[in-house]
Amino acid sequence: MRSKTQLLALNGVIAGAYAALTLVASAMNLAYGPIQFRFSEALTVLPFLFPGTWPGIFVGCLVANLLSPYGLLDVVIGSLATLLAALMTQKTNHALLAPLPPVVCNMVLIGGMLAWYEVGFSAQFPALFVANALWVGIGEAVVCYVLGLLLLRAVPQVSYLRQYVPEARRSFRPSHSG
């Protein structure tokens, strides 16, 4: 059982880690745009293990998106995509499904945001949306299904952290506790 103070501290650590990892990816030109491998997005699986950590994911993304070349548009839409993904991930009932919400949310919302940023709602929007959604989705899938699943496997193995992971979430078997 976690106290409110422990949950607040965990959210702070997650927010800081998300922002820092995004800055690292940004320095490598991998954090923004249609082709991105934002390492920090792997953290969006953590609400599966630690329900109640979606605020840390959201705040970390919000801070990271303050540096986005897409400005306020990315601060709002990009942060919303990550917030929705974290909330949906918290509701998944199997570890192998935990990376799916970030992939889908970012494909749709970031793909649409990038297409609109480039051409508005012109005749080119649908084709550009599909292209951007595919590129963003591929990057998100790689990050969330490789790094995210590694996190889901490794974190419950850390004895100190294991006590905070609900029993039903400690392995890759299905859970009916939602």
Side-chain angles (χ1 to χ4, degrees):
M1 189 73 180
R2 288 184 310 229
S3 71
K4 289 181 182 183
T5 303
Q6 289 169 320
L7 184 59
L8 181 62
L10 182 56
N11 273 292
V13 168
I14 290 170
Y18 188 103
L21 286 169
T22 302
L23 289 176
V24 169
S26 179
M28 298 166 41
N29 291 320
L30 296 173
Y32 306 102
I35 299 175
Q36 59 179 266
F37 294 92
R38 193 183 272 204
F39 315 124
S40 50
E41 280 292 301
L43 300 176
T44 59
V45 302
L46 290 179
F48 175 81
L49 293 176
F50 304 113
T53 57
W54 58 266
I57 301 293
F58 173 66
V59 169
C61 184
L62 186 72
V63 168
N65 286 343
L66 290 172
L67 301 174
S68 171
Y70 300 98
L72 186 60
L73 190 62
D74 200 14
V75 172
V76 173
I77 297 186
S79 302
L80 178 63
T82 298
L83 172 62
L84 289 173
L87 287 167
M88 292 169 66
T89 297
Q90 182 173 278
K91 299 286 186 192
T92 60
N93 64 0
H94 193 283
L96 294 175
L97 295 176
L100 188 59
V103 174
V104 172
C105 289
N106 281 281
M107 279 180 70
V108 173
L109 293 172
I110 301 304
M113 179 199 79
L114 292 170
W116 183 85
Y117 185 83
E118 292 295 323
V119 298
F121 289 122
S122 68
Q124 295 86 17
F125 178 84
L128 196 53
F129 168 72
V130 169
N132 285 331
L134 286 173
W135 281 115
V136 169
I138 289 168
E140 193 77 11
V142 168
V143 168
C144 291
Y145 273 97
V146 174
L147 298 178
L149 286 180
L150 285 172
L151 271 174
L152 291 180
R153 284 195 182 272
V155 168
Q157 303 309 311
V158 177
S159 58
Y160 176 77
L161 296 175
R162 185 176 181 84
Q163 65 185 321
Y164 300 112
V165 178
E167 180 68 37
R169 302 285 177 114
R170 292 182 187 169
S171 70
F172 276 60
R173 68 180 189 278
S175 166
H176 298 292
S177 63

